[in-house]
Structures are given as C-alpha cells and as structure tokens.
Amino acid sequence: MNGGQECGKPFVNNISNYINELSLIGDLSAELDEMAFPIALCDYIDQGKNPDLQMKQNYMVTQTKNNLQRSRIVNTHSLHQYLENGQKYFKQWSQEKNKCINNNNNKNMNECINHNTKPKSVKQRAQDPITHNERMKIV
C-alpha cells in the first residue's frame, strides 16, 4: 500500500475537510475584528502558559487598586465630616466667647477669653451639644 486509489480518496476528503474548516475560521474572523486582545496575552499563550493564571493575576492587581481607591474615598469623606463638625464646634465656641464678652460689658475680656480657651475636661466635653463622637462621625 504505497499509495494508489486506496489512499487517494481519504487524502482528498481530508484536504476538503481542511479547506472547509479554514473557510469557517475565515467567516468567524470577521467577528473577531471588533475584539481587542492584549499583545501580552497573545505572547503568554504563545509561550504555552495558561491565560487563566494571567487573568487571575491581573484581577488581583485590579482588586488591590480598587480597594486602595475605595479607602481614599472613605478617608476623604471622613476628613470632610471631621472638618464640618470642627466648624460647628468652632462656631459654637465663638458664640459662647462673644456672649461672655458682651455679658461682661467688655470689663473682663481677658477673663472671658481665658475661661473659654481652657481645655475642657472629659465631663465637660460629654455635656457639649456637639460631642466628640459627632465630630468623628463617619457615614
């Protein structure tokens, strides 16, 4: 069996099947024109490596970056809340200072200012309308 008619027909069938499969690939290639593949992924596959491992690695990097960005957003929001509450506390303190100065008819201004600028004790802070927890509130 060195060829002849017995081998010719299967060979022609194989070549026909091969050409038909190539035409199917050609038809499908039009759908791939709109898709973008990273060159690094193609190189990765050409090296015989599993692209799923590359995808997992890329996913982990992306997830880490997203978590970092989320923490920046939360920290910025916390800082914003802290500054807003600090402004409320400062306005309240300023009003108390002005009341004290007005009540004393400007006679003992230094006494009022010193009284209002003393650090408050924990008990005094607990009685404040704006509490420490409100100043540190995180939504």
Side-chain angles (χ1 to χ4, degrees):
M1 299 222 165
N2 292 333
Q5 296 232 351
E6 299 154 358
C7 294
K9 193 167 194 166
F11 178 74
V12 170
N13 286 339
N14 286 339
I15 293 295
S16 314
N17 288 339
Y18 180 73
I19 292 172
N20 289 336
E21 295 294 326
L22 285 178
S23 67
L24 290 176
I25 291 174
D27 294 341
L28 294 175
S29 68
E31 294 176 16
L32 296 177
D33 288 341
E34 297 174 9
M35 292 184 165
F37 292 100
I39 294 174
L41 180 63
C42 294
D43 290 341
Y44 203 76
I45 293 170
D46 287 342
Q47 294 171 7
K49 297 179 180 175
N50 187 351
D52 291 338
L53 298 176
Q54 180 69 23
M55 187 208 54
K56 286 179 185 178
Q57 183 181 6
N58 290 343
Y59 176 78
M60 295 302 290
V61 168
T62 303
Q63 188 176 27
T64 302
K65 288 180 180 181
N66 286 345
N67 288 340
L68 178 65
Q69 197 61 27
R70 274 190 218 102
S71 67
R72 286 179 180 160
I73 292 168
V74 169
N75 289 339
T76 303
H77 183 71
S78 300
L79 177 64
H80 176 74
Q81 288 291 349
Y82 184 77
L83 292 174
E84 275 186 348
N85 290 329
Q87 284 178 333
K88 290 177 189 175
Y89 186 75
F90 179 76
K91 286 177 185 176
Q92 178 191 5
W93 175 82
S94 298
Q95 289 171 352
E96 288 175 5
K97 181 181 79 167
N98 291 336
K99 282 181 189 176
C100 182
I101 290 171
N102 292 336
N103 289 342
N104 289 330
N105 296 326
N106 297 326
K107 293 178 184 174
N108 297 326
M109 192 180 334
N110 287 335
E111 187 177 313
C112 277
I113 292 172
N114 290 336
H115 172 71
N116 283 332
T117 58
K118 286 181 185 176
K120 293 185 176 186
S121 68
V122 174
K123 187 176 183 180
Q124 288 172 327
R125 277 187 275 161
Q127 295 170 350
D128 279 348
I130 299 175
T131 64
H132 177 71
N133 289 338
E134 287 175 337
R135 279 182 248 136
M136 298 299 291
K137 182 172 89 175
I138 299 174
V139 174

